[in-house]
Amino acid sequence: MTMIFSDADKAFAADVRDYLAANLPEELARKVRYNQRLTRDDYTGWQDVLAARNWYAVGWPAEAGGPGLTQTQRYLFERAYGALPCPHPCQFGIAMAGPVIFTFGNEEQKERFLPGIRENRDFWCQGYSEPGAGSDLAALKTTAVREGDHYRVNGQKIWTTWANWADWMFCLVKTDLQVKPQRGISFLLIDMRSPGITVRPIRTIDGDHEFNEVFLNDVMVPVENRIGEEGQGWTYAKFLLEFERFSMSGAARSRRVLSEIRADAEALGRTGDARLAERLTGLEIELLALEHMELRLLARSVGGENPGPEASKLKIRGTEIAQALSRLRVDLHAEDCLVHSDAFLDALEPSSNPAAGGAVATYLNQRKLTIWGGSNEVQRMILAKQILELG
Amino acid sequence: MSHLDDEIHMLAETVDRYVADRAGGRASGGDAWTELADLGWLLLPYPEAAGGLGLGAAGVSAVMQGHGRGLLPTPYLPFIVMAGGALARCPRAADALAAVMAGERRVAAGFAVGRPAAITAEPDGAGWRLGGTQPHVLAVDEADAVLVAARPGAEGGTGLFLVGLDLPGVTVETYPLPDGRRAGRVILNGVALPAADRLDDGDAAALLGDVETATLLAAAAENLGAMQVLYEETLAYAKLRKQFGRPIGSFQSLQFRLVDMWIKLDEVRSLVASAAAAGDGPEAAQLAVAAWIQSLWSGRSIGEEAIQLHGAIGMTEEHAAGRYVKRILVNELLFGAPERHFARYRSTMQG
């Protein structure tokens, strides 16, 4: 299965590649290459570079102020982007809040929120998971009780990535406790500076801080911050699961990581290591299968078909391959990975082998890939039920 | 039950109590190494003729499983199994071994499993002059001396030298390992030693090979203790955690994965137990290397599954899963991945 890209599409891909390469700061590229910790400024500074070409909200249609790329261009963008050591852009505004707002919000809401997201002025986080509701969002407990023109919100969110940096949180809340759980959920936009919000950091096993708990204690949210109908939040959340399906595989990024590991192996004089060569080749073939699954799905989409939940297969294989690569990097650098300090992500200890510095932390951090974004178990459940029709 | 079995059984119970006391915060607050000395653990592996308890690999295995279960920070493996194990095999090291067994001397291990000696020793008058850098010396910041393997000048082979860390020309740079334990680089810059501080009998290569095998078994036992906790915690969580209205452990796909964890744990337990019981028999080395390799295969899989089945909570620093996963991973980085030991395994099957 080969895609033949038009000359216009090829020119677009070249434009993306050239612009990103010319504007990616060397220091930032080095941080990404060596798996160092990025700051909020690293992300927002880079997102400004993207926003300058309207490529931050790269998946948005023209009506929403986005670049209105075709699906093929969207794919080519991801491929060019992943090939360079660019930071993975923060997704919660552009890939989640934005699409729900431009699909289900009213005109006033679109005018109020979309420019801030598109132009990278507002930092967003996602208030979905709760202590008792991870994979099972129907078990949400955070309540929003209508009081005049406000909702009074009480509850707790957890695993809220970058709540500590966020200006806004889009949030699933229960507005009706009487009906079936799926019917009583609403979608609220909450200003993170509202009184009654407390953010508590959760440190992860790699020593990083990106997850948080968010406590909502009598937080008053104006009714005009509700997107769509009361009680329809479940529908909007499900809609998001199928949006942006082409960024799910991470194939381009994995291909870059694979070539980095190859370069590291060469620098370490390990090109003659047959076992290592076998593993690299094996992973490359797995990656090739992923890329061609993705291309085939793209061809069907371009042909007007909606592959729907089938994109879950890309999430499953993409995250498994990314994890295997992070493991291979640890195996390659072996005892060099031992020189590790709490500060190593911010400032690498002088070492003859900088690629080893972040290898263990990355391996540990990447465990999240098969857990978040709908765990791989949930993705398999979706495929079993909806594609294989196993009840 | 033999007399030895009785003693090992009693030791295992003591280890369990010690680990439970530590976990419950009921530790004495005193120096952990002195506690280990008081418990008799510092002398338990060594032959009775040398003043030890003669419990060998079986005793070490019981203590190391406790280190894994309780993630104990005490450097039993490098000080007692590695450095002490080498001293016990050197005919001229009786005094140094006695001091180690009494807890009076803390000797770190200046040699790595499966790596040639990083230090060189040049003859210097009647003595030696040592130079070079030994990386990743476990718990060197708790030691007062280091037993280094060095290549002595023109004569070839490997020598073992006891180097006081307060000697002129010795520099130690310490750093934390990814699991929170500490290690250091020992840099020797023309360190002068009297002839008497070379402890081996001409070539230490063979005895170091035996020490490496003992080290791999001890580390396998520690991994076993750690993955036992990972398995138990995950099983308990699967019975407790509810999603979609029922415990996640009631889903068949998760049941299968937990059963696989249980089998992988049992594979390690079986090899560690047999290797520990094999004493100095012909199969002992083969079983020890196999136990190490299997402990990494099982450990990776059990560790990754433990985090995955816990979900995001398993990713947090607060939760114990990550600490156990890191202990097993750091052991692998210190003592070598499975593939690095295949040749060693094959060599144990010859002759």
Side-chain angles (χ1 to χ4, degrees), chain B residues 16 50 113 171 179 211 225 282 285 313 315 328 338-340:
Chain B
D16 280 349
V113 172
T171 313
D179 68 341
V211 172
I313 191 82
M315 286 282 305
I328 297 170
E339 301 75 31
R340 265 184 51 198

Side-chain angles (χ1 to χ4, degrees), chain A residues 81-122:
Chain A
Y81 191 96
L84 290 166
C86 306
H88 191 61
C90 303
Q91 295 290 315
F92 301 104
I94 50 166
M96 304 185 87
V100 168
I101 294 168
F102 68 64
T103 309
F104 302 104
N106 58 37
E107 287 312 310
E108 207 182 325
Q109 289 168 333
K110 291 182 198 174
E111 270 169 44
R112 181 169 163 216
F113 291 107
L114 293 183
I117 297 174
R118 202 174 56 225
E119 293 160 19
N120 185 39
R121 280 184 277 116
D122 298 328

Side-chain angles (χ1 to χ4, degrees), chain A residues 33-181:
Chain A
R33 167 71 170 86
Y34 293 132
N35 298 292
Q36 289 177 263
R37 183 176 295 147
L38 302 183
T39 63
R40 188 186 196 274
D41 286 348
D42 286 331
Y43 284 108
T44 55
W46 173 243
Q47 287 160 195
D48 280 341
V49 170
L50 297 176
R53 291 289 305 268
N54 200 13
W55 283 342
Y56 180 44
V58 67
W60 291 16
E63 312 87 81
L69 302 184
T70 63
Q71 296 201 60
T72 305
Q73 288 173 324
R74 185 77 191 78
Y75 167 82
L76 290 170
F77 182 89
E78 285 302 322
R79 212 164 72 164
Y81 191 96
L84 290 166
C86 306
H88 191 61
C90 303
Q91 295 290 315
F92 301 104
I94 50 166
M96 304 185 87
V100 168
I101 294 168
F102 68 64
T103 309
F104 302 104
N106 58 37
E107 287 312 310
E108 207 182 325
Q109 289 168 333
K110 291 182 198 174
E111 270 169 44
R112 181 169 163 216
F113 291 107
L114 293 183
I117 297 174
R118 202 174 56 225
E119 293 160 19
N120 185 39
R121 280 184 277 116
D122 298 328
F123 204 107
W124 283 76
C125 67
Q126 175 198 41
Y128 274 21
S129 294
E130 296 182 7
S135 298
D136 179 13
L137 284 175
L140 294 174
K141 290 204 164 50
T142 295
T143 57
V145 178
R146 183 78 179 257
E147 288 182 13
D149 52 3
H150 281 77
Y151 288 104
R152 182 185 292 273
V153 180
N154 278 290
Q156 181 195 349
K157 295 293 173 180
I158 196 166
W159 318 124
T160 317
T161 302
W162 294 320
N164 50 320
W165 292 346
D167 305 300
W168 286 90
M169 172 167 68
F170 62 94
C171 200
L172 293 179
V173 294
K174 297 273 277 222
T175 38
D176 190 338
L177 303 174
Q178 312 305 322
V179 295
K180 259 180 59 176

